[in-house]
Amino acid sequence: MGPMAGRVTIGDLAQRLGLSKASVSYALNGQPGVSEQTRARVLALARELQWYPSSSARTLSGARTGIVGLVLSRDPDLLGTEPYYMLVLSGIEAELIDAEYGLLLRMVGSEPGRDLPVYERWAGERRVDGVMLFDQRRDDPRIPLLRDLGLPAVLNGAAEPGSVLPTVVPDEHGDARQVVELLHGLGHRWIGHLSGPSGLLHEERRELLLRAAAAPAGIEVESIRGDYTMGTAERLIGERLRRGPGPTAWVASNDVMALGAVRAAARAGVDVPGRLSVVSWDDSLLCEIGAPPITALDRHPRDFGRRCARALLAEIAGTPDDGAGARPSELRVRSSTGPAAP
Amino acid sequence: MGPMAGRVTIGDLAQRLGLSKASVSYALNGQPGVSEQTRARVLALARELQWYPSSSARTLSGARTGIVGLVLSRDPDLLGTEPYYMLVLSGIEAELIDAEYGLLLRMVGSEPGRDLPVYERWAGERRVDGVMLFDQRRDDPRIPLLRDLGLPAVLNGAAEPGSVLPTVVPDEHGDARQVVELLHGLGHRWIGHLSGPSGLLHEERRELLLRAAAAPAGIEVESIRGDYTMGTAERLIGERLRRGPGPTAWVASNDVMALGAVRAAARAGVDVPGRLSVVSWDDSLLCEIGAPPITALDRHPRDFGRRCARALLAEIAGTPDDGAGARPSELRVRSSTGPAAP
């Protein structure tokens, strides 16, 4: 028996086996109401014909796994030190609790491409109902792969124009504008951007948006690539401070790097904020308790996590996402920013 | 056909179907080498006879899910603010990367008992190869349940004497001794213990161990129960400071509560460490950058996470755990501790 033309449905299985659609559905979903013999016949045919539940069929039949997947291509050490991801994760979990969903988390290290076999396996073994994607890269190979696998997916944090997947993006345009307005108002005309690793779409986007906001205000932007860790940030900013005249304010792409910048200044005897201002693109308890406390963008990471999870659950259910927009970020002005040094 | 006497083996299935054990194994594990018809026959019989792979059989046959489960009965907000769990999680993930395992994370909120149906479902649907247990309670209902379900499990963080499950416990005896020695040497004779929520075995154990270490040194211990959050800690210590003479040093059960204690002191105009010393049972970046930086026990949470994951993987594989002991904690003495106020 070869595969049938088009998608195999529960109706097709029922017809071939001379059973009701309900019986086939019970059998496929592990529900009571059919004998073990019948269940075995249904499962055997379903496997033979490569029947695969569509996301809407899964919703209707209740055959979902109740699990969404997240593959992180990151050094696991970062997971323990960078609060942002943990706050997003806690928002995701808060939404998943309500939906009684579990999160299958798989870390694969930061070497590119090691995540792809995981999606293939999850789809093949029907381990998850859908996946959340973060840290999008240009020409991201996950997108065509997930389309081919037919696995529901939502892109979070950045999206290439014309992306085929549903996306949840923060308002980074507004974020860049707020940061530049603050620094411009304090008289800064030369600012530095300590970004995250290259290749990440949201980092490229921030860089563009910062420059776009700064240019009309006559502000020069200089960039250094960090790796989200405090140690590297401290070394890079330390080197830059020793190289002579430079930015009077640094915008770091996360809180941990902002702390590194403050440490580098302290080590070089450069007063913060007297001689150098520091802004963090992420807010957290680390910024709040820093010495000095660090001016930071509160981008509501828990809300963002909730939105990401909600969008994926809607995609899995085949219902429209509620489409609630992002709450605008709030710039928490603390003691790490002050008037530009003359 | 009724269930067979004793455990159904791959050999039983092979005999009944007139197939080789290898073919049955290929069919069960989704490996190539058998026709779809044969695979369907094997699966049907396996289901009918309720064949279930034993943990050692799963290892040998490669039929594992490649997933371990973790149910957290916690407010997801805590996940985002308390670094300890995230550091443990990053250690777990570091070990799982090497083993190419995924972690299925399910949060169920802090109401007791809501985790039990999750284990039942995971075992019934064979979603995970084993589970990690944290936050053990007295007469913990998870232990008999997991034994009945036959799901490999490892207890982490505390164990009742005579526990039937393998356990990974930190050296909290040594931890308590180190903290008491430091404070005794500084002349403190009345210390406070700001513990975590009641009912948690490791919190009860810490309380006992602190008192056991303090008594021979002539130190009095007074206890307050916190909930691991900064806000509650700040309120409780603030109230205690207002009530008149009290401990000259507080030991907080996590870093976030230690920060809360320092805040309460600042708000009450009580100098740290001049009038009050504060020690955190957990170390993290928060303690390092606090103002003042907080003396804390570095309990090597990443190593602990790695040990927990390694013990579970060994249990799943049916091999002995390497049994590597805990690295002794290191007390990082910073500026939040000083001589007892006269």
Side-chain angles (χ1 to χ4, degrees):
Chain A
M1 221 172 338
M4 305 177 70
R7 186 180 196 101
V8 177
T9 65
I10 286 182
D12 297 331
L13 299 178
Q15 204 184 349
R16 292 221 179 188
L17 293 164
L19 295 169
S20 71
K21 281 207 240 179
S23 297
V24 171
S25 172
Y26 293 154
L28 292 170
N29 301 334
Q31 290 167 329
V34 289
S35 71
E36 282 306 308
Q37 278 80 356
T38 301
R39 192 186 305 279
R41 281 175 61 213
V42 172
L43 290 173
L45 185 65
R47 186 175 269 268
E48 194 176 344
L49 298 184
Q50 301 190 303
W51 172 83
Y52 185 84
S54 71
S55 64
S56 55
R58 262 177 299 171
T59 310
L60 295 171
S61 67
R64 291 181 288 180
T65 61
I67 296 171
V68 297
L70 172 57
V71 186
L72 287 178
S73 303
R74 290 202 153 204
D75 182 338
D77 280 7
L78 268 180
L79 194 67
T81 48
E82 201 195 30
Y84 179 77
Y85 251 104
M86 286 307 103
L87 292 165
V88 172
L89 201 54
S90 80
I92 291 172
E93 289 288 359
E95 192 72 23
L96 294 182
I97 284 183
D98 296 345
E100 300 196 353
Y101 256 76
L103 179 71
L104 178 53
L105 193 64
R106 180 81 154 80
M107 300 201 76
V108 292
S110 50
E111 208 180 299
R114 292 184 53 183
D115 48 348
L116 303 178
V118 178
Y119 297 115
E120 287 177 356
R121 181 169 181 194
W122 285 356
E125 300 179 355
R126 296 179 202 173
R127 292 245 178 255
V128 297
D129 295 337
V131 294
M132 325 188 78
L133 307 180
F134 288 89
D135 290 341
Q136 201 196 345
R137 294 172 177 276
R138 197 160 288 287
D139 299 320
D140 200 312
R142 295 176 295 181
I143 296 171
L145 174 68
L146 288 166
R147 201 182 38 210
D148 291 350
L149 294 172
L151 194 59
V154 170
L155 266 177
N156 306 292
E160 278 186 284
S163 165
V164 293
L165 293 180
T167 54
V168 178
V169 286
D171 175 19
E172 299 213 303
H173 184 88
D175 292 349
R177 197 180 32 72
Q178 285 194 63
V179 169
V180 168
E181 268 175 16
L182 171 78
L183 294 175
H184 184 257
L186 290 167
H188 295 274
R189 296 296 177 265
W190 187 357
I191 70 177
H193 180 211
L194 178 55
S195 77
S198 71
L200 294 175
L201 214 59
H202 70 271
E203 290 291 344
E204 290 182 16
R205 198 170 144 76
R206 274 184 206 172
E207 172 80 18
L208 285 174
L209 291 169
L210 267 181
R211 289 182 183 272
I219 295 176
E220 189 184 336
V221 179
E222 158 178 345
S223 298
I224 297 184
R225 286 218 176 277
D227 61 3
Y228 290 140
T229 69
M230 184 159 67
T232 304
E234 184 174 347
R235 181 176 55 76
L236 293 171
I237 298 299
E239 283 166 10
R240 184 62 190 87
L241 289 171
R242 281 193 295 280
R243 258 208 328 273
T248 57
W250 281 93
V251 180
S253 228
N254 73 358
D255 44 2
V256 179
M257 291 198 294
L259 286 172
V262 168
R263 283 201 172 192
R267 199 176 281 252
V270 172
D271 183 60
V272 174
R275 298 273 311 289
L276 189 73
S277 288
V278 174
V279 179
S280 168
W281 197 272
D282 287 333
D283 191 21
S284 73
L285 199 49
L286 291 173
C287 295
E288 221 175 302
I289 70 166
I294 294 172
T295 296
L297 268 174
D298 180 357
R299 306 194 288 131
H300 315 301
R302 282 206 183 93
D303 275 14
F304 178 65
R306 273 193 171 267
R307 287 173 63 217
C308 299
R310 208 153 52 224
L312 180 56
L313 293 174
E315 177 71 7
I316 289 167
T319 55
D321 185 16
D322 66 2
R327 261 166 76 193
S329 305
E330 283 159 68
L331 190 59
R332 312 260 175 229
V333 180
R334 303 199 179 96
S335 325
S336 67
T337 43
Chain B
M1 217 171 344
M4 305 176 70
R7 185 176 196 107
V8 177
T9 66
I10 286 183
D12 297 330
L13 299 178
Q15 202 182 351
R16 292 223 180 186
L17 293 164
L19 294 169
S20 71
K21 282 206 242 181
S23 297
V24 171
S25 171
Y26 293 154
L28 292 170
N29 301 335
Q31 291 168 330
V34 289
S35 71
E36 281 308 307
Q37 278 80 355
T38 302
R39 193 186 304 279
R41 283 175 61 212
V42 172
L43 291 173
L45 184 65
R47 188 176 266 270
E48 195 177 343
L49 300 185
Q50 301 190 302
W51 171 83
Y52 186 84
S54 72
S55 63
S56 56
R58 264 178 295 170
T59 308
L60 294 171
S61 69
R64 291 180 288 180
T65 61
I67 296 171
V68 296
L70 172 57
V71 186
L72 288 178
S73 302
R74 291 204 154 201
D75 182 338
D77 280 8
L78 268 179
L79 195 67
T81 49
E82 201 194 32
Y84 179 77
Y85 251 104
M86 286 308 104
L87 292 166
V88 172
L89 202 53
S90 79
I92 291 172
E93 289 289 0
E95 191 73 24
L96 293 182
I97 285 182
D98 297 343
E100 299 195 355
Y101 255 75
L103 179 70
L104 179 53
L105 193 62
R106 180 82 154 78
M107 299 201 76
V108 292
S110 50
E111 208 181 299
R114 292 184 54 184
D115 48 348
L116 303 180
V118 177
Y119 297 115
E120 287 176 355
R121 182 168 181 194
W122 284 356
E125 299 179 353
R126 298 179 201 173
R127 292 247 178 254
V128 297
D129 295 336
V131 294
M132 324 187 79
L133 306 180
F134 288 89
D135 289 342
Q136 200 197 347
R137 294 172 177 277
R138 197 161 288 287
D139 298 321
D140 200 311
R142 296 176 295 181
I143 296 171
L145 174 68
L146 288 165
R147 202 184 36 210
D148 291 351
L149 293 172
L151 196 58
V154 171
L155 268 176
N156 306 293
E160 280 185 283
S163 165
V164 294
L165 294 179
T167 55
V168 179
V169 287
D171 176 18
E172 299 211 303
H173 184 89
D175 293 349
R177 198 179 33 72
Q178 285 194 63
V179 170
V180 168
E181 268 175 15
L182 171 78
L183 295 176
H184 183 259
L186 291 167
H188 295 274
R189 295 296 177 266
W190 186 358
I191 70 177
H193 179 213
L194 178 55
S195 77
S198 70
L200 294 174
L201 215 59
H202 69 272
E203 290 292 343
E204 290 183 16
R205 200 171 142 76
R206 275 183 206 173
E207 172 80 17
L208 283 175
L209 291 170
L210 268 181
R211 287 182 185 270
I219 295 176
E220 189 184 337
V221 179
E222 160 180 342
S223 298
I224 296 184
R225 286 217 177 280
D227 61 3
Y228 292 140
T229 70
M230 185 158 65
T232 304
E234 185 174 348
R235 181 175 56 73
L236 292 170
I237 298 299
E239 283 166 11
R240 185 61 191 86
L241 290 171
R242 281 194 297 280
R243 258 208 329 275
T248 56
W250 280 93
V251 179
S253 226
N254 73 356
D255 45 2
V256 179
M257 291 199 293
L259 287 172
V262 167
R263 284 202 172 192
R267 198 176 282 252
V270 171
D271 183 60
V272 173
R275 297 274 311 289
L276 189 72
S277 289
V278 174
V279 178
S280 168
W281 196 273
D282 287 332
D283 191 22
S284 74
L285 200 49
L286 291 173
C287 294
E288 221 175 303
I289 70 165
I294 294 173
T295 296
L297 267 173
D298 180 356
R299 304 194 291 130
H300 314 302
R302 283 206 182 93
D303 275 15
F304 179 64
R306 273 192 171 266
R307 285 173 64 215
C308 297
R310 208 153 50 222
L312 180 57
L313 293 174
E315 178 69 8
I316 289 167
T319 55
D321 185 17
D322 67 1
R327 259 167 77 194
S329 305
E330 283 159 65
L331 189 59
R332 313 261 176 225
V333 180
R334 303 198 180 97
S335 325
S336 67
T337 42

